[in-house]
Amino acid sequence: MTPQKTHTVTLIPGDGIGPEVTQAVIRILNATGVKIEWERYAAGAEAFEKFKTYIPADLYDSIDRTRVALKGPVTTPVGGGFSSINVTLRKKFDLYANFRPIKNLPGIKTNYPGVDLIIVRENTEGLYVGLEQEIVPGVATALKVVTEKGSTRIARFAFEYARQHDRKKVHCIHKANIMKMTDGLILRCSRKVAEEYPNVAYAEHIVDNTCMQLVTNPYQYDILLLENLYGDIVSDLCAAFVGGLGLVPGANLGESTAIFEAVHGSAPDIAGKNLANPTALLQSAILMLRHLDETEAADRVQAALEKVYAEKTALTRDVGGSSGTSAFTDAIIAALETVPA
Ligand code: NAI
């Protein structure tokens, strides 16, 4: 028998509920038997307190080595202070694809049962390049940067995913009627890539109409391909279809590096109270297991998660239950034992 592989993964527990949800996920992953050596690093406010920097150089070195990270939420100040750790890491490791599957869990009642959507968001360009300035007092500008290279590679990511996972259609979401140069370039690149994939249908929708269409009939969409800002907003809208931000996973993917993270924030209002729902980070960890080729473990955790949701006896307060983080985690670990290997 070949010895079991040990994976090395960088762990950023984050702030607020971050340490609680990461701890829950580590317990569940340990219970699968997959061998993971965690390199743990602080980032954000906690790192600043200890090392006078928001992202310690050691953390960069670790991700450079491991090429895979699991990240909890980090508190980011609004309208000033240090720039977002997430945006910084995405830029540093060129994690150009933000990938968010949106799928209902059993037992979670929403107005939209049976949604199965993939959001592919460009993660490094657009208005998020952070080129803002105050030209004169009272007048501020932000530069929207779109490149042919960036638009082509994110379109190719969406179509390649469609091809590999038997998805039928990619919608490119844009505002090229107003932003003719920037969003116009995105459309030209997307159309060109679409021609390489004759078996995947391609369509274009304007972003404001898309919001209305999504709320009216999300089932018409399969894969949504969006630039950075539209992707940020539309992906949170789509999270509501399946029960909100506490549930949906996220992955930031580049050519050689991947960071898996929950999309919710650090939830300071419930931090340290054993109330946090670790589902979003757990679903992100399932994506990570697949990335590490631990498909069987990923399937087992997914099945255990779905079982616990279907039974509804150990759910956390945010999804209508009364259990704490640790009882929910115990229930998943118990369910894992009942799921066939
Ligand atoms: P938030 O997502 O932290 O909280 C919004 C609401 O959802 C709160 O009522 C919170 O209790 C609840 N909630 C969030 N996650 C939950 C979970 N796992 N279980 C149960 N309830 C949960 O958003 P907010 O308040 O806008 O941001 C708080 C901080 O987090 C800010 O500093 C923000 O910048 C940061 N943030 C960090 C992100 C990241 O690191 N990926 C993403 C979004 C926000």
Side-chain angles (χ1 to χ4, degrees), residues 10-335:
T10 304
L11 179 71
I12 308 165
D15 308 313
I17 59 169
E20 294 163 72
V21 291
T22 41
Q23 192 46 40
V25 167
I26 288 171
R27 282 185 57 211
I28 294 164
L29 296 193
N30 282 343
T32 65
V34 172
K35 288 194 168 20
I36 301 179
E37 217 168 75
W38 300 99
E39 294 191 2
R40 187 182 298 254
Y41 290 92
E46 188 195 345
F48 191 79
E49 228 166 73
K50 286 187 189 151
F51 313 113
K52 297 286 166 267
T53 171
Y54 293 103
I55 306 183
D58 286 359
L59 169 54
Y60 286 129
D61 293 346
S62 172
I63 299 175
D64 260 332
R65 242 186 346 265
T66 64
R67 297 283 162 196
V68 186
L70 184 67
K71 183 185 155 297
V74 176
T75 306
T76 307
V78 174
F82 63 89
S83 60
S84 157
I85 306 278
N86 300 324
V87 175
T88 308
L89 288 173
R90 286 169 196 171
K91 274 192 202 154
K92 164 83 181 164
F93 293 102
D94 199 20
L95 306 173
Y96 67 89
N98 185 277
F99 175 80
R100 284 200 207 176
I102 306 278
K103 199 168 177 195
N104 297 81
L105 279 165
I108 296 292
K109 217 165 168 264
T110 78
N111 292 329
Y112 299 89
V115 170
D116 184 5
L117 275 178
I118 302 287
I119 310 255
V120 174
R121 162 187 166 196
E122 205 293 322
N123 226 359
T124 54
E125 299 195 342
L127 282 164
Y128 285 45
V129 293
L131 295 175
E132 288 190 290
Q133 61 173 334
E134 188 176 52
I135 301 180
V136 289
V139 183
T141 62
L143 207 59
K144 174 161 173 163
V145 177
V146 173
T147 68
E148 188 178 332
K149 179 185 164 207
S151 306
T152 302
R153 70 178 176 174
I154 194 67
R156 184 156 288 121
F157 179 98
F159 278 94
E160 220 12 71
Y161 183 87
R163 189 181 65 77
Q164 286 174 22
H165 296 86
D166 202 24
R167 291 278 179 164
K168 305 292 178 225
K169 191 163 189 173
V170 173
H171 273 87
C172 182
I173 308 305
H174 68 94
K175 190 76 190 175
N177 50 330
I178 305 294
M179 274 164 279
K180 295 177 193 295
M181 301 277 274
T182 48
D183 285 19
L185 177 56
I186 290 171
L187 286 187
R188 283 202 301 284
C189 295
S190 301
R191 287 172 193 164
K192 214 166 155 191
V193 173
E195 284 170 12
E196 297 170 25
Y197 294 84
N199 296 327
V200 181
Y202 173 71
E204 295 166 354
H205 277 178
I206 293 175
V207 64
D208 36 353
N209 174 38
T210 304
C211 292
M212 194 270 291
Q213 295 286 344
L214 274 166
V215 173
T216 314
N217 174 21
Y219 309 103
Q220 67 186 294
Y221 294 107
D222 188 351
I223 294 181
L224 293 172
L225 166 64
L226 307 104
E227 62 85 85
N228 214 336
L229 176 63
Y230 312 151
D232 197 0
I233 296 167
V234 170
S235 54
D236 276 22
L237 185 157
C238 290
F241 295 148
V242 297
L245 291 177
L247 301 179
V248 290
N252 297 294
L253 307 168
E255 293 303 341
S256 62
T257 307
I259 299 184
F260 298 86
E261 64 175 344
V263 297
H264 59 72
S266 55
D269 52 331
I270 57 165
K273 296 180 180 163
N274 193 34
L275 290 174
N277 184 352
T279 300
L281 193 68
L282 184 60
Q283 297 219 72
S284 309
I286 293 171
L287 295 178
M288 184 184 83
L289 288 174
R290 297 196 191 287
H291 176 81
L292 296 171
D293 279 334
E294 296 286 0
T295 312
E296 190 188 302
D299 289 344
R300 286 183 62 222
V301 179
Q302 186 73 44
L305 179 72
E306 288 179 9
K307 183 165 190 270
V308 169
Y309 269 92
E311 286 171 359
K312 292 188 188 179
T313 50
L315 299 183
T316 48
R317 214 178 52 172
D318 58 303
V319 287
S322 56
S323 293
T325 313
S326 40
F328 173 78
T329 308
D330 293 342
I332 303 264
I333 291 170

